[in-house]
Amino acid sequence: DKITAQLGIVKGRIIGRMAREWSDHPHLISYLSRHSASNGQVGYISDSIQITPEHDQDKLLEVTAYPLFSPKDNAHLLGSMVVVRDCTEEQLMRRSRGEFVAQVAHELKTPLNVMAMYSESLLGEDGNSDEFRVEAVNVIHDDVERLSTLINNMLALTKFELGGMRINRQRVRLLELLEDAFNNIIQSGRGKGLEFALDLPKEMTAVYVDKDLLRIAVNNLLTNAIKYNRPDGKVTLSAEEMNGVIEISVQDSGLGISPEDRSRIFDKFFRSNDADVRQQTGHGLGLPLAQQIIQMHQGELCLESEHGKGSKFIIRLERGTEMAKQAGVA
């Protein structure tokens, strides 16, 4: 039944019939004809073939014929067992890996080219200008930071996918963590001209989380809120606790996210085709990494956004005995 569903053919059309009677696929007909019991040939496991069924052009099937020998006479071939395997997912993964490598190469090459250009200029006559030296140092510094962020995010995502990332849960005062992350962003000099607001309650229950990982997630959300904001815009970090759920929100008054982009916003390396978004440097790994971190904490990262009117990312974490048990403290 599974094979007939893959081929898009009713079972009754296959049983007791030649391949050419139920299929119009020339490669499949040729392959099965070579391995039919009626040809009387003694065979061994042959190379597989890959075909795309006519009823589903997005699917890729691998067909392999295995010879069935007589248990009494190994030289006598009784027939063949044909295995049809859906390898669509594998093909998509191989393609994704290729696209991933190409995208990484592009993201690494761009800042390296800029740094090479400025470093060469510093060695020439332009290096005698104090104004140019200051410009070159600032640009090189920014691109080094961009490369460092890209590499760190890639390493973290790879660890997640390979199962090498472990959560080190500990009792954390969430208010202190959020205040510290917020102040560091402001002191970094990012978001000049923006208004920053911190809206936290006076008290919050301590949570059992991986402090370093949660800090990365919050920092990535704040960085995006700054990067994709508007001149004189606002970035707000807030938190509240209700009904055993803790919500951490990062809201901006920036570009917003279109409905068609929202479904892909957490895909690795995804960047919108919006012209305003493309003007900002980015590698599309911050949000996927933040989502992975929150999911490892059995939480969820949600998005509320309207194109042209800003975005709000909400981290929802359940607190209670289960989190404490997983941390080994309850």
Side-chain angles (χ1 to χ4, degrees), residues 155-171:
L155 289 174
L157 280 170
T158 301
K159 283 185 177 180
F160 276 123
E161 292 174 353
L162 295 178
M165 183 69 76
R166 296 289 182 267
I167 282 188
N168 179 27
R169 289 184 185 270
Q170 53 186 299
R171 189 175 184 272

Side-chain angles (χ1 to χ4, degrees), residues 100 104 107-108 145-161 165 190 212-213 215-221 223-224 227 268-269 282-293:
F100 179 85
V104 169
E107 292 292 339
L108 292 174
E145 185 175 298
R146 178 182 171 186
L147 283 173
S148 177
T149 301
L150 170 62
I151 291 170
N152 288 336
N153 284 345
M154 284 175 54
L155 289 174
L157 280 170
T158 301
K159 283 185 177 180
F160 276 123
E161 292 174 353
M165 183 69 76
R190 300 175 185 174
D212 294 332
L213 289 180
R215 176 73 176 269
I216 290 174
V218 173
N219 185 73
N220 283 353
L221 296 180
T223 300
N224 271 13
K227 184 185 299 182
K268 285 187 299 185
F269 287 117
H283 42 68
L285 289 179
L287 289 179
L289 178 57
Q291 185 185 53
Q292 288 268 25
I293 291 171

Side-chain angles (χ1 to χ4, degrees), residues 2 8 101 277:
K2 195 172 287 187
V101 172
V277 174

Side-chain angles (χ1 to χ4, degrees), residues 77-103:
L77 183 66
L78 297 177
S80 298
M81 177 178 68
V82 178
V83 177
V84 180
R85 188 170 67 90
D86 188 342
C87 55
T88 308
E89 196 69 28
E90 295 176 13
Q91 180 74 2
L92 291 175
M93 289 179 63
R94 283 194 292 268
R95 187 181 304 165
S96 296
R97 282 197 295 267
E99 293 174 353
F100 179 85
V101 172
Q103 187 67 45

Side-chain angles (χ1 to χ4, degrees), residues 112-156:
L112 286 174
N113 285 342
V114 173
M115 288 190 290
M117 180 187 70
Y118 271 97
S119 60
E120 289 174 4
S121 298
L122 284 172
L123 294 174
E125 294 183 2
D126 291 336
N128 297 324
S129 167
D130 290 339
E131 183 179 350
F132 180 80
R133 285 201 299 270
V134 171
E135 176 189 345
V137 169
N138 286 331
V139 170
I140 290 174
H141 177 272
D142 289 344
D143 277 335
V144 167
E145 185 175 298
R146 178 182 171 186
L147 283 173
S148 177
T149 301
L150 170 62
I151 291 170
N152 288 336
N153 284 345
M154 284 175 54
L155 289 174

Side-chain angles (χ1 to χ4, degrees), residues 240-247 316-320 323:
E240 62 178 332
E241 182 178 0
M242 50 186 178
N243 300 323
V245 176
I246 292 174
E247 288 193 355
R316 290 195 177 99
L317 297 173
E318 291 187 8
R319 65 164 311 278
M323 293 182 69

Side-chain angles (χ1 to χ4, degrees), residues 167 169 208 296-298 320-330:
I167 282 188
R169 289 184 185 270
Y208 293 91
M296 285 192 74
H297 285 84
Q298 289 79 49
T321 56
E322 188 59 31
M323 293 182 69
K325 288 177 182 176
Q326 292 180 16
V329 296

